[in-house]
Amino acid sequence: MIFYFSATGNSKQVATQLAQITNEKLIDVTDCLTNGRTDFEVQSNERIGFVTPTYFWGLPVLMVDFVKCLQLKGFSHQYVYIVTTYGSFCGGTHKHLGRLLKPKGIALDGVFSIKMVDEWTPIFDLSNQEKNKRVTAAAKPAIYNTCMMVAERAKGNFMKWPVPDLLCRAFYIGYGISRKTSNFYVLDSCTGCGLCEKNCPLGAITLKDGKPTWTKDKCAICLRCLHQCPQFAIQYGHFTKKHGQFVNRGDVTYRKD
């Protein structure tokens, strides 16, 4: 089984390709949290994968909440792995996940990372769509090779551009600060389509008088609402308006290049 979280499509692209190659079930952790489904039966020959983006050199809060509640019935040292998607540095997501799994008697066998478009537009400029396409295309062989290694149950740390764990823990503190929904605002171009309310993985958005309103103090800052807004009307901070949007629609039928 493959547990994944994806806001703009990068990690979903990887997870879907993994499911195709390993012939294992794809499970969206957002749906699991929404429906209260955190207990799973594990088969003896099954691989257990976690596919996640890197947030502040650690895990998104949705993956953290899910793993804390996760119960794997029938687990008996099956092959367990993580694939991290990242834009600049993959940080210490594997260490973060390892700490969450340790009390459950589960250890990571394989650790992998794939560089993709960094959709954190409060800092990174994604206004050049051709560049985004090049980065996405360049990830294709890495995705394929990672999937083949997982299929073969490769063991070891194959992560690129990791960051020392102490630095990761310190940097991750900023995640909690940045999660404040007061950083979001809406432009007049909003048409009240309701897509942001529907797509918010934490249910932090409600339409009021035809405009999105953040009804929780914090969210996952996955920026799904920003990147998937048809009018690009949702913004975060001072720079996202000029940094553009990005959604990975996911060509997942890859062959070795």
Side-chain angles (χ1 to χ4, degrees), residues 52-68:
T52 178
T54 303
Y55 283 14
F56 284 72
W57 294 351
L59 296 174
V61 65
L62 287 125
M63 185 62 78
V64 172
D65 290 346
F66 173 75
V67 175
K68 285 181 177 179

Side-chain angles (χ1 to χ4, degrees), residues 24-247:
E24 289 178 339
K25 189 175 182 180
L26 199 59
I27 302 171
D28 186 339
V29 303
T30 302
D31 292 340
C32 291
L33 290 171
T34 300
N35 299 319
R37 184 189 177 207
T38 54
D39 291 2
F40 297 87
E41 191 76 35
V42 183
Q43 303 302 315
S44 60
N45 63 340
E46 195 167 10
R47 304 171 190 82
I48 302 166
F50 299 87
V51 182
T52 178
T54 303
Y55 283 14
F56 284 72
W57 294 351
L59 296 174
V61 65
L62 287 125
M63 185 62 78
V64 172
D65 290 346
F66 173 75
V67 175
K68 285 181 177 179
C69 299
L70 179 63
Q71 297 294 325
L72 297 176
K73 299 176 182 177
F75 178 79
S76 180
H77 304 291
Q78 284 89 342
Y79 178 74
V80 183
Y81 66 94
I82 180 175
V83 182
T84 297
T85 58
Y86 70 99
S88 300
F89 297 95
C90 54
T93 49
H94 61 304
K95 295 284 188 179
H96 196 171
L97 179 60
R99 290 192 293 271
L100 295 172
L101 292 174
K102 186 176 181 179
K104 304 175 187 295
I106 302 173
L108 289 169
D109 298 300
V111 176
F112 308 90
S113 63
I114 299 172
K115 181 177 176 61
M116 304 187 80
V117 173
D118 196 326
E119 67 270 22
W120 183 242
T121 50
I123 295 177
F124 300 102
D125 187 352
L126 302 184
S127 59
N128 187 334
Q129 293 300 322
E130 289 303 316
K131 180 180 178 181
N132 297 339
K133 290 178 182 178
R134 289 195 299 270
V135 174
T136 301
K140 289 175 62 176
I143 294 173
Y144 178 86
N145 291 336
T146 297
C147 291
M148 294 307 296
M149 293 177 74
V150 169
E152 295 168 2
R153 292 178 164 84
K155 294 186 177 182
N157 187 337
F158 304 95
M159 184 172 282
K160 297 179 180 179
W161 299 107
V163 178
D165 191 45
L166 186 61
L167 287 179
C168 290
R169 289 179 185 236
F171 191 62
Y172 193 71
I173 295 173
Y175 182 39
I177 299 171
S178 298
R179 287 179 56 203
K180 293 180 180 179
T181 56
S182 57
N183 293 315
F184 287 96
Y185 61 97
V186 183
L187 302 178
D188 291 339
S189 55
C190 173
T191 61
C193 70
L195 188 63
C196 54
E197 180 183 37
K198 177 183 177 181
N199 285 344
C200 180
L202 284 181
I205 301 175
T206 301
L207 285 188
K208 292 185 178 180
D209 299 322
K211 300 292 182 181
T213 301
W214 281 261
T215 54
K216 294 183 179 180
D217 292 335
K218 289 187 176 182
C219 69
I221 55 166
C222 66
L223 300 188
R224 182 183 290 177
C225 58
L226 183 155
H227 288 292
Q228 296 195 15
C229 176
Q231 304 300 322
F232 193 24
I234 295 177
Q235 305 296 328
Y236 177 101
H238 301 293
F239 303 108
T240 56
K241 188 175 180 180
K242 62 181 180 180
H243 284 174
Q245 294 170 289
F246 173 79
V247 177

